[in-house]
Amino acid sequence: MDSIKKKRTVRPVAILFLAVLGIFAGLQLFDKPIEGRPVTGKIEAPREVIAILEKSCFNCHSNEQKLNWYDKLAPISWAVNKDVERAREVMNFSEWEKLSPGEHKGNMYAILNMMQAGKMPLHKYTLLHPSAKISNKDIEVIRKYTLSLSGIAPAPVKKEEKDPHQDIKTGSVTSPENLPVSPNGVKYTPDFKNWKVISMSTLFDHSIRVIYGNDIAVKAVETENFHPWPDGSIVVKSVWKQQEQPDGEIRPGEFVNAQFMVKDSKKYTDTEGWGFAKFSGRDLHPTGETASFAKESCIACHRQLAEKTGYLFDVPMKVNTERLIKNLQKK
């Protein structure tokens, strides 16, 4: 009798196992391998930097996937393929030659910010790939390399130099035809110097950052109505290198860039309604070669780190952050 009961118990279990095995095998028929792409221009950096990126980033952000066997099995492979496709759109280390020097530097800052915030590599990825975890030593290597791209050593301000906001090349910025324009249509305007300062910040690159807002942006800050920010909002971050005086006082030194964010929800649908632009150096040259540069570099970092404040870094100082977050949670 006992043997008969055991047979009756084993049979349903065996049938269930075979059914699951059959379904699993059937899923493999619908598996689609990751699209193969050539390496057209791999990132060039010091060996120790490349080693970290290959260990923690290349499996998603490149055309050189080295997947484990379980990454290739459906349905896990479906999620892997989707993540790789999305990651390649944001940043691809195998097509680095498409980037301008400014975009190269901007991407490295984005990588550093994401690593320091613990956003990358993704936690769900490191659970299955523990060797991809980032250590503090790794972050320090990336930090030093990223800062080296900017040449952060404070430079003395020369008295004969003119304010980069007053003259562009050979023309006056008051003349519309001389105003530089970003590839996505965002135009530089010197008027922001007369706008209200809504926040200030500094960063590990020893910079001073002053954030200005136009009237629409300032009103949004005062009423805490910036999720989403109203169309027409313009926020400008003017970045300067720190210059330490003999008495220890820190003052703005060499001008670095002016970073614009213009809110137009209909025009900039791919970047959460924001038009990004960066005008660098004394000639205020715009970053990017095509209108899609912000989609490939800027917005990824803003989505990960600043979603709670409408994709804008450096929440204005007058905002009650705790109350704002509670209001957002109610929506």
Side-chain angles (χ1 to χ4, degrees), residues 108-278:
M108 287 308 304
Y109 270 97
I111 292 168
L112 178 59
N113 287 335
M114 298 292 272
M115 287 182 174
Q116 288 183 320
K119 298 285 187 177
M120 285 290 172
L122 295 174
H123 179 62
K124 65 179 182 180
Y125 179 78
T126 56
L127 283 176
L128 294 176
H129 307 82
S131 62
K133 290 182 179 180
I134 293 291
S135 67
N136 290 333
K137 183 178 179 180
D138 293 335
I139 293 176
E140 182 61 18
V141 170
I142 297 296
R143 188 184 75 87
K144 288 182 178 179
Y145 171 64
T146 302
L147 292 179
S148 73
L149 299 176
S150 299
I152 63 167
V157 178
K158 299 178 181 179
K159 293 183 179 180
E160 67 273 18
E161 288 185 348
K162 296 180 180 180
D163 186 336
H165 300 305
Q166 294 177 351
D167 289 284
I168 300 178
K169 297 181 180 178
T170 59
S172 169
V173 295
T174 57
S175 180
E177 61 269 18
N178 292 320
L179 293 172
V181 181
S182 180
N184 58 358
V186 175
K187 179 180 288 188
Y188 174 88
T189 173
D191 295 341
F192 76 83
K193 293 185 297 179
N194 300 319
W195 296 350
K196 189 172 182 178
V197 174
I198 58 176
S199 186
M200 293 183 67
S201 68
T202 185
L203 203 59
F204 53 82
D205 60 353
H206 305 305
S207 63
I208 295 175
R209 296 158 179 253
V210 182
I211 297 92
Y212 302 83
N214 67 353
D215 290 341
I216 298 175
V218 169
K219 184 177 180 180
V221 170
E222 292 174 344
T223 59
E224 296 186 1
N225 179 33
F226 50 84
H227 206 282
W229 289 76
D231 279 3
S233 298
I234 304 177
V235 178
V236 180
K237 181 182 293 183
S238 187
V239 184
W240 305 78
K241 290 184 179 180
Q242 294 181 11
Q243 184 181 42
E244 185 173 354
Q245 304 299 306
D247 60 359
E249 181 182 357
I250 300 296
R251 293 183 180 180
E254 180 184 348
F255 171 75
V256 179
N257 58 55
Q259 303 171 18
F260 281 64
M261 289 179 66
V262 178
K263 186 63 186 295
D264 188 329
S265 57
K266 294 182 179 179
K267 184 175 182 180
Y268 301 110
T269 56
D270 289 338
T271 49
E272 305 295 348
W274 284 105
F276 291 83
K278 182 163 67 175

Side-chain angles (χ1 to χ4, degrees), residues 37-61:
R37 296 184 188 177
V39 178
T40 58
K42 192 172 180 178
I43 179 174
E44 295 183 2
R47 184 181 302 175
E48 61 271 21
V49 173
I50 295 295
I52 295 170
L53 297 177
E54 287 181 340
K55 175 191 72 170
S56 303
C57 308
F58 268 46
N59 257 0
C60 291
H61 291 277

